[in-house]
Amino acid sequence: MVSVGSADRYLPDTVQQAVKILVVGAFGVGKTTLVGSVSEIEPLRTEEVMTEASVGVDDLAGMHTKTTTTVAMDFGRITLNSRLVLYLFGTPGQRRFWDLWDGLAEGALGVLVIVDTRRLEDSFDVLEQLELRGLPFTVAVNQFPDSESYGADELRCALDLLPDTPVVMCDARERAPSVNALISLVEFVSSTLGAVRARETAS
């Protein structure tokens, strides 16, 4: 994780815009890891140790080393450039925590959806929730060591995404590809808003 010095706690005077971004995905896809890998401040985590109460509720197939789970949110911050800062809010993946999404989604400009190709079907309900809320999103494929490799078009088809929905590859443990995924989201949201404004002006 990026080291946090006293200078990193405060925003540069040049920052002109702060943007709220949601980081969502199914249980165990790497949301907490991604927020931690990119945050320039010590990330806030609300992880709890998984107990026997989760047996039969949380599917740990393929995640035998997972011992904790997010129960409220993850929070981090990243300054993308001298003018723009992102505040990242990671959501719990389990359905029983989805009521928290309404509050976390308020004021969000866009969503980074993390998926695991080993359990692609777990992402369908997550994507449905986003469609109900009408938030623009980019899909980031977290490439685990034992994941099979698929092309963006294959994944777009498998997830039933619109043709213009960005699909990017990343390793949530690594800062550079995770930052690139966030940049892809910001660029997509900017272009989407630009197109909307152009249509409103034309009409």
Side-chain angles (χ1 to χ4, degrees), residues 26-105:
F27 173 62
V29 297
K31 301 178 295 294
T32 298
T33 301
L34 184 137
V35 171
S37 71
V38 303
S39 183
E40 64 199 15
I41 60 173
E42 187 71 32
L44 168 67
R45 295 189 174 101
T46 58
E47 288 191 301
E48 295 292 340
V49 175
M50 299 177 68
T51 65
E52 292 183 1
S54 68
V55 176
V57 178
D58 297 327
D59 184 5
L60 289 172
M63 297 180 286
H64 305 300
T65 60
K66 186 172 178 62
T67 59
T68 61
T69 185
T70 300
V71 296
M73 70 172 186
D74 300 308
F75 174 78
R77 188 191 79 197
I78 174 173
T79 306
L80 277 190
N81 56 47
S82 60
R83 295 177 299 168
L84 176 64
V85 64
L86 305 184
Y87 289 104
L88 308 176
F89 290 78
T91 65
Q94 298 97 315
R95 183 186 295 270
R96 64 183 182 276
F97 295 127
W98 283 1
D99 287 344
L100 296 170
W101 283 29
D102 290 331
L104 292 175

Side-chain angles (χ1 to χ4, degrees), residues 24 101 111 113 126-135 137:
V24 308
W101 283 29
V111 184
V113 184
V126 172
L127 292 168
E128 182 179 2
Q129 290 298 309
L130 294 181
E131 290 173 358
L132 291 173
R133 288 167 172 79
L135 290 169
F137 62 88

Side-chain angles (χ1 to χ4, degrees), residues 141 150-159 161 165-169:
V141 180
Y150 300 95
D153 288 339
E154 289 181 280
L155 291 167
R156 200 175 283 110
C157 181
L159 293 169
L161 302 176
T165 303
V167 176
V168 297
M169 309 299 165

Side-chain angles (χ1 to χ4, degrees), residues 160-182:
D160 195 24
L161 302 176
L162 293 174
D164 63 341
T165 303
V167 176
V168 297
M169 309 299 165
C170 77
D171 182 336
R173 301 168 299 178
E174 301 292 334
R175 190 173 195 273
S178 298
V179 170
N180 286 338
L182 290 168

Side-chain angles (χ1 to χ4, degrees), residues 9-24:
R9 299 174 188 168
Y10 306 100
L11 293 176
D13 294 336
T14 56
V15 170
Q16 299 176 4
Q17 186 175 18
V19 172
K20 181 179 182 180
I21 298 294
L22 285 190
V23 179
V24 308

